[in-house]
Amino acid sequence: MQMIQTVVVKQILTEKSKQSLLNTYQAKKLQLQKECDQLQFEQKRLETTKNFSPGTLKRQFEKEIQMRKEKIKLVEFQIEQLHILPLGSELTEKEVQVLVEIKVGDIWDERIGQPAIIIKDGIIEEIR
């Protein structure tokens, strides 16, 4: 019988993966900043049309801008943490679903334990 199980994928931090993560975080931060600027521009443009209630319009745009600013703070925190982490650290990257073959006589706790796939520079290093 087969069943679906969640497996954690972890990445070993190397110079190459650290730089890649840093580039990803910086690109995400830049994208969020662009979205904030675009929202502010759009808000000003819509305010001049007078088709919307100014108070409601401003609150809605401020809410959207604030959400993105919170995400920017989170990305900045992730960048700070990345600089602190020593090389060789294991970072949880994501979780994936896998099919696991089980049969009568298997030890349940061994089959259902939290398995992990360890990746180093894009290559599977270990399966636990």
Side-chain angles (χ1 to χ4, degrees), residues 113-124:
Q114 185 65 31
I117 298 172
I118 310 301
I119 297 175
K120 184 175 183 178
D121 290 332
I123 299 171
I124 297 174

Side-chain angles (χ1 to χ4, degrees), residues 20-75:
S20 175
L21 280 170
L22 186 60
N23 292 343
T24 301
Y25 291 152
Q26 289 173 338
K28 190 173 186 179
K29 181 180 173 184
L30 184 62
Q31 176 63 34
L32 288 165
Q33 288 171 334
K34 284 181 181 179
E35 288 176 16
C36 283
D37 294 342
Q38 182 64 32
L39 284 167
Q40 288 170 341
F41 173 79
E42 210 47 46
Q43 179 184 359
K44 286 182 180 17
R45 188 181 69 78
L46 289 174
E47 283 175 348
T48 60
T49 63
K50 306 276 190 226
N51 292 342
F52 302 98
S53 165
T56 306
L57 185 69
K58 184 174 179 152
R59 277 193 303 275
Q60 190 62 32
F61 274 95
E62 287 300 319
K63 180 181 169 190
E64 290 295 322
I65 292 168
Q66 191 58 38
M67 282 178 20
R68 282 159 180 82
K69 285 182 178 180
E70 289 296 321
K71 288 179 182 179
I72 289 171
K73 285 180 186 175
L74 177 62
V75 171

Side-chain angles (χ1 to χ4, degrees), residues 7 9 13 32 37 39 41 43 49 57 60 76 78 82 89 93 98-100 108 113 115 122 128:
V7 176
V9 178
L13 192 63
L32 288 165
D37 294 342
L39 284 167
F41 173 79
Q43 179 184 359
T49 63
L57 185 69
Q60 190 62 32
E76 288 171 345
Q78 289 173 320
L82 186 61
S89 299
E93 189 172 293
V98 296
L99 283 176
V100 177
W108 180 254
R128 298 181 188 157

